[in-house]
Amino acid sequence: AQKVTQAQTEISVVEKEDVTLDCVYETRDTTYYLFWYKQPPSGELVFLIRRNSFDEQNEISGRYSWNFQKSTSSFNFTITASQVVDSAVYFCALSEILTGGGNKLTFGTGTQLKVEL
Amino acid sequence: DTGVSQNPRHKITKRGQNVTFRCDPISEHNRLYWYRQTLGQGPEFLTYFQNEAQLEKSRLLSDRFSAERPKGSFSTLEIQRTEQGDSAMYLCASSLGQGAYEQYFGPGTRLTVT
C-alpha cells in the first residue's frame, strides 16, 4: 500500500528564514510520481510540483526548491526567505495509476507552516 | 480556464437527510476525482471518472454514497441518510491526459451533519 509521512505537524518561522518541509513515502511501484500541494486558509489546494521517480535532479522555482532522494524515499521541500504569504498547510502526495489511466493521490497529513513578522 | 468550481460551498444538514454536491471541472478535462478531507488530515480518494465512466471507487465510499458524471461534464456526489461521521470537506479535482498528471482542485464543499 502507498503511504506518505509528513512527520512535522506544525512549523513556525520568522519571515526571511529558510524552512524545509519533510516528506517520506512508501511504495512498491518502480515508477511513481510525487507531488506537493499548498492549502492556504481559503482551503483550495494549489498544485506546486510533480516529479517522477526517474528524475532525481533537484528542482528550483523561485524561492521554492525540492530535493528528491530515492535512496531514502524522501521528497523534501524548501522555501527560501519565507514570507507571510507562505503561511499554509503543505501536503506531499504519492500517485498510483488507476484503471483507465487516471491517478489516485495518497496524501500525507500535511505540515502547517506559520510565517510571522 | 475558470478553474474547478463546486457548489454549494457549505452545507449544514440534519442526520438522516440526503445531500447532493456538484462539481464543474475545468473544461476539456476528461478525468474527474472526488476526495474527502477531515480536520487535520490530508484528502482521501473517494472515486474517479474518465469522461462519464466511473472507473474506480474507494472502500471509503459506502453504499450511501453515489456519484455520477452524466455526459462527461459536471459531476454530482450524493450522500443518502447522512451520519455525523460524514461531516468533512468534499473536494473535487480534474485533470487532463493519461497518467500521473497534476490534478487541479476546487474550493470544496464543507458538510456539517448535526
Side-chain angles (χ1 to χ4, degrees), chain A residues 32-33 35 37 39 42-47 49-50 89 91 95-110, chain B residues 4 9 31 33 35 37 40-45 48 50 55-56 58 89 91 95 97-107:
Chain A
Y32 51 90
Y33 289 78
F35 298 78
Y37 280 85
Q39 189 171 43
S42 61
E44 192 160 336
L45 281 158
V46 177
F47 165 75
I49 190 171
R50 177 189 66 157
V89 180
F91 290 97
S95 78
E96 174 185 343
I97 302 299
L98 301 172
T99 305
N103 63 307
K104 165 187 170 182
L105 295 179
T106 298
F107 287 84
T109 51
Chain B
V4 179
R9 295 292 306 277
R31 291 187 169 78
Y33 304 82
Y35 290 81
Q37 184 178 22
Q41 301 297 314
E44 294 176 294
F45 172 82
Y48 137 71
Q50 178 179 301
L55 296 184
E56 193 91 13
S58 164
M89 177 77 87
L91 297 166
S95 71
Q98 183 158 332
Y101 284 87
E102 55 269 27
Q103 296 175 21
Y104 293 90
F105 283 80

Side-chain angles (χ1 to χ4, degrees), chain A residues 31-86:
Chain A
T31 301
Y32 51 90
Y33 289 78
L34 293 157
F35 298 78
W36 276 94
Y37 280 85
K38 174 182 180 180
Q39 189 171 43
S42 61
E44 192 160 336
L45 281 158
V46 177
F47 165 75
L48 296 177
I49 190 171
R50 177 189 66 157
R51 298 304 301 277
N52 72 56
S53 53
F54 293 113
D55 184 1
E56 291 195 64
Q57 277 194 332
N58 290 339
E59 182 156 342
I60 299 174
S61 176
R63 296 184 297 109
Y64 296 169
S65 62
W66 290 269
N67 183 302
F68 175 35
Q69 292 197 337
K70 208 168 180 178
S71 59
T72 56
S73 298
S74 66
F75 185 41
N76 297 337
F77 173 31
T78 297
I79 302 175
T80 303
S82 60
Q83 300 176 2
V84 173
V85 293
D86 295 327

Side-chain angles (χ1 to χ4, degrees), chain B residues 9-45:
Chain B
R9 295 292 306 277
H10 303 274
K11 179 71 177 178
I12 300 174
T13 190
K14 292 185 178 179
R15 187 163 50 101
Q17 298 293 305
N18 298 344
V19 293
T20 300
F21 312 140
R22 176 180 171 125
C23 169
D24 287 89
I26 294 171
S27 58
E28 298 177 356
H29 276 196
N30 58 336
R31 291 187 169 78
L32 187 147
Y33 304 82
W34 284 98
Y35 290 81
R36 180 171 67 188
Q37 184 178 22
T38 54
L39 200 61
Q41 301 297 314
E44 294 176 294
F45 172 82

